[in-house]
Amino acid sequence: MLLSETQAFWFLPFVLPICVWVAWSDLATMKIPNKAVLALIAVFLVVGLIAFPFQVWLWQIPHFFVVLAIGFVLSIAGVMGAGDAKFAAAAAPFILLPDTTNIIAILGISALFGFISHRIARETPIRNLVPHWESWERKKDFPMGYPLALTLLVYLILAATGY
């Protein structure tokens, strides 16, 4: 990881609750709140000024727009939800460009873990803990906010621990 331990530590306390909020909300309602996306953007804009040198911080901002454009196209094509696209765009500035290969690997593992854990939980008594989650009822849809949030958290945790 090129993101330093210090940079990751700056972001983690603020990003963690937002990612939990996003995952929980998407699992419960199959929607990612716009307020959560805006909160993540605000964290990058404010904390990023402390965590990154100004030039690096400035160069990270276009990541939002590039990922938003890609997500918009994928959303129109029906490949992903609009909330997923917005959250991915809001998360993009946190990820340094040379870490793209790492983030793709983390996303793949998170998506696989998220899908399997969701499907197992749906068929076990764990489901009774939160019986009203909409994601339990949607047989063909999957709440991608869960693995997207997990991806950002794993990336920051790996960087914070020096991996």
Side-chain angles (χ1 to χ4, degrees), residues 18-71:
I18 296 169
C19 286
V20 170
W21 177 19
V22 165
W24 186 273
S25 178
D26 207 21
L27 287 162
T29 66
M30 296 296 291
K31 290 182 170 75
I32 297 173
N34 285 334
K35 288 179 183 179
V37 172
L38 292 173
L40 192 60
I41 292 167
V43 166
F44 177 79
L45 291 175
V46 175
V47 179
L49 278 171
I50 300 164
F52 289 128
F54 182 73
Q55 287 292 85
V56 173
W57 175 84
L58 204 56
W59 277 105
Q60 293 302 110
I61 293 172
H63 295 190
F64 169 82
F65 296 103
V66 170
V67 173
L68 185 64
I70 293 166

Side-chain angles (χ1 to χ4, degrees), residues 4 8 12 21 57 61 83 89-90 97-98 101 108-109 130 133 139 144:
S4 76
L12 265 172
W21 177 19
W57 175 84
I61 293 172
L97 196 55
T101 303
I109 293 166
V130 282
W133 275 3
K139 301 298 182 193
M144 273 303 289

Side-chain angles (χ1 to χ4, degrees), residues 34-163:
N34 285 334
K35 288 179 183 179
V37 172
L38 292 173
L40 192 60
I41 292 167
V43 166
F44 177 79
L45 291 175
V46 175
V47 179
L49 278 171
I50 300 164
F52 289 128
F54 182 73
Q55 287 292 85
V56 173
W57 175 84
L58 204 56
W59 277 105
Q60 293 302 110
I61 293 172
H63 295 190
F64 169 82
F65 296 103
V66 170
V67 173
L68 185 64
I70 293 166
F72 181 71
V73 171
L74 292 173
S75 180
I76 289 173
V79 175
M80 73 185 316
D84 302 328
K86 290 183 282 186
F87 179 78
F94 292 87
I95 298 150
L96 296 175
L97 196 55
D99 283 336
T100 303
T101 303
N102 292 329
I103 206 71
I104 290 169
I106 295 168
L107 177 59
I109 293 166
S110 295
L112 186 61
F113 171 80
F115 183 80
I116 291 170
S117 64
H118 180 266
R119 294 309 196 240
I120 288 171
R122 185 172 73 182
E123 303 303 324
T124 65
I126 293 171
R127 178 181 180 154
N128 297 332
L129 297 172
V130 282
H132 302 294
W133 275 3
E134 189 172 334
S135 66
W136 299 141
E137 306 306 322
R138 299 242 193 130
K139 301 298 182 193
K140 292 184 181 179
D141 294 333
F142 176 69
M144 273 303 289
Y146 170 34
L148 286 170
L150 184 59
T151 298
L152 181 56
L153 283 178
V154 168
Y155 174 73
L156 292 175
I157 290 167
L158 288 174
T161 56
Y163 285 101

